[in-house]
Amino acid sequence: MQPAEHHIALNAHLLTAQAGYRSAGINGYIANLLRALPDADPSLRYTVFAGPQATVASGPRVRVRRSAWNTTHPLARIVWEQLAQPLALARAQPDLAHQLAFVAPVLSRAPFVLTVYDLSFVRYPERLTAARRWYLRLLTRRSCHRARRVIAISRSTAADLTALFGVPAERIDIAVPGVGEAFRPLPRDEVEAFRAKQGLPARFFLFLGTLEPRKNLPLLLRAYAALPPSDRKAVHLVLAGGRGWMTDEIERTLAQHDLAATVHLPGYVPADDLPLWYNAAEALVYPSVYEGFGLPVVEAMACGTPVLVADSSSLPEAAGDVGRCVPPHDEAAWTDALAQTLNDNAWRSDAGERGREHAKQFTWARTAAQTVASYRRALGESVG
């Protein structure tokens, strides 16, 4: 029996074409999902609401409707979501709306599914600005209970939705992020040319992500500083990523431990360069105290790079039984793990090979299929 044809509207106003921390993370999830959805189910057609700043491709079953005003600024986006979106949905008349980031419009009666990436604003409220915390806490819980289905990006986030917001587990679906084909082992000469161009040392640990409090980078810096000077000289530490908010403690820790010679902060990394960074690194280190999923972990593994991650939230899901997991607040344990990782050639080789196999299960086609299954459930259809 062929699935019924339906019209789905998606709010993609969080998308941005600008480089920086706002174009990573959730933005990447939305962009890749939009590219994969048309191939997941040929019976569905889509209307994508986006701002003029976003790069979204139209297609035979994808219509893009852009607002006249730029919604890059959070306040402008909130105003569009809450005041303009209900009118846009009323005009489009979809069978179902997909609110792609935490919140649905209060005044809209359109049935919807809702994607929630994490509940960091509840678990770690002090790690967000007051304005972001207020908006998310006020409306995400309400939106979850109004939604026909809630999509989480990991089992960890799904568990949080039930424990913290009381969302019944049977109304939650999981659509895990994917890894693009660009993430793979690259030719050695290409990697070495990139290393020389970037002025990178022969060996370095890599952190890649937004520089913000919940990434736990001051602890990583203190753990790295506790290594013998010879180890730090042999293996540098690179903290790559755009600056988010409340980064003063990172600067203070760098200065306090005199780490300028072996710790590098190259800033935002263009998406096209990510595979090269992973390939050039000795290992990815990811000490974050809380993640919705931790996609850089799987991207690094797809490149054959070993991973060292915090044993918290969703990160063990991403790393599987291949990555080395460490308690996020145990500074001495991180120092020991860094020392073991840089000195254990056999483990790095084995973890690199096993990581590549583990990462093969994470594809954006799978993410899109899981999302479409949620749509079907929200529309009252059975899903095999």
Side-chain angles (χ1 to χ4, degrees):
M1 181 178 178
Q2 292 294 321
E5 295 186 2
H6 289 292
H7 175 204
I8 313 296
L10 302 101
N11 173 17
H13 271 261
L14 193 66
L15 282 175
T16 175
Q18 296 178 351
Y21 78 94
R22 291 191 187 280
S23 65
I26 296 174
N27 184 93
Y29 184 100
I30 294 172
N32 283 292
L33 175 64
L34 290 178
R35 282 192 284 268
L37 273 176
D39 293 330
D41 188 333
S43 69
L44 299 179
R45 63 185 179 91
Y46 301 94
T47 295
V48 179
F49 298 123
Q53 75 281 357
T55 302
V56 186
S58 299
R61 289 181 291 111
V62 179
R63 181 179 181 182
V64 179
R65 290 189 172 179
R66 298 185 184 276
S67 66
W69 40 324
N70 193 314
T71 51
T72 300
H73 191 278
L75 181 58
R77 188 178 70 253
I78 289 170
V79 172
W80 186 91
E81 286 177 346
Q82 293 302 321
L83 299 182
Q85 185 179 190
L87 296 174
L89 288 169
R91 294 190 189 101
Q93 295 188 323
D95 298 301
L96 186 71
H98 186 173
Q99 303 297 335
L100 283 161
F102 299 103
V103 170
V106 174
L107 300 178
S108 175
R109 294 186 178 181
F112 66 92
V113 300
L114 175 78
T115 295
V116 177
Y117 299 88
D118 62 55
L119 294 184
S120 60
F121 51 92
V122 178
R123 288 286 191 189
Y124 298 92
E126 74 282 1
R127 298 173 185 268
L128 292 176
T129 61
R132 294 182 74 235
R133 183 169 67 243
W134 176 83
Y135 181 68
L136 289 171
R137 293 190 71 163
L138 180 67
L139 291 183
T140 302
R141 182 192 296 266
R142 177 189 175 105
S143 298
C144 285
H145 285 281
R146 292 175 53 223
R148 289 192 177 181
R149 307 291 299 180
V150 179
I151 298 175
I153 66 168
S154 66
R155 294 191 301 274
S156 174
T157 297
D160 274 355
L161 285 166
T162 299
L164 300 177
F165 282 179
V167 182
E170 60 270 19
R171 285 207 302 113
I172 302 173
D173 300 310
I174 297 175
V176 178
V179 175
E181 295 180 358
F183 296 95
R184 65 188 190 279
L186 297 175
R188 184 175 182 84
D189 58 347
E190 185 178 347
V191 175
E192 292 309 313
F194 174 79
R195 189 191 308 277
K197 178 182 177 182
Q198 297 292 330
L200 295 169
R203 301 177 68 189
F204 64 91
F205 294 124
L206 173 68
F207 167 83
L208 199 151
T210 303
L211 307 188
E212 59 173 291
R214 69 185 167 111
K215 301 301 183 179
N216 206 22
L217 297 177
L219 178 136
L220 176 62
L221 289 169
R222 293 192 298 271
Y224 177 75
L227 290 170
S230 59
D231 282 351
R232 296 201 307 273
K233 184 177 180 180
V235 182
H236 289 201
L237 174 62
V238 174
L239 307 181
R243 289 180 179 270
W245 51 91
M246 300 166 63
T247 57
D248 290 349
E249 189 180 355
I250 294 173
E251 301 292 345
R252 288 195 300 269
T253 307
L254 284 167
Q256 179 182 353
H257 295 279
D258 194 22
L259 294 173
T262 58
V263 175
H264 311 269
L265 284 80
Y268 172 75
V269 172
D272 290 346
D273 288 346
L274 290 177
L276 286 160
W277 281 96
Y278 292 130
N279 272 267
E282 191 84 354
L284 180 79
V285 290
Y286 215 77
S288 180
V289 294
Y290 188 79
E291 292 291 330
F293 182 71
L295 186 58
V297 174
V298 182
E299 291 174 341
M301 297 171 87
C303 293
T305 301
V307 299
L308 178 60
V309 304
D311 186 11
S312 60
S313 64
S314 65
L315 292 177
E317 292 180 51
D321 63 353
V322 181
R324 179 170 275 160
C325 295
V326 185
H329 302 296
D330 191 335
E331 189 175 309
W334 274 91
T335 299
D336 290 343
L338 290 170
Q340 292 169 12
T341 299
L342 71 90
N343 289 311
D344 192 341
N345 296 335
W347 179 82
R348 292 199 308 275
S349 177
D350 178 66
E353 289 298 321
R354 293 174 61 210
R356 289 176 59 194
E357 290 302 313
H358 173 73
K360 288 179 180 179
Q361 66 184 291
F362 299 97
T363 67
W364 288 110
R366 179 190 178 203
T367 310
Q370 292 170 330
T371 302
V372 166
S374 185
Y375 295 163
R376 294 293 179 187
R377 295 186 187 101
L379 292 163
E381 300 177 8
S382 61
V383 177

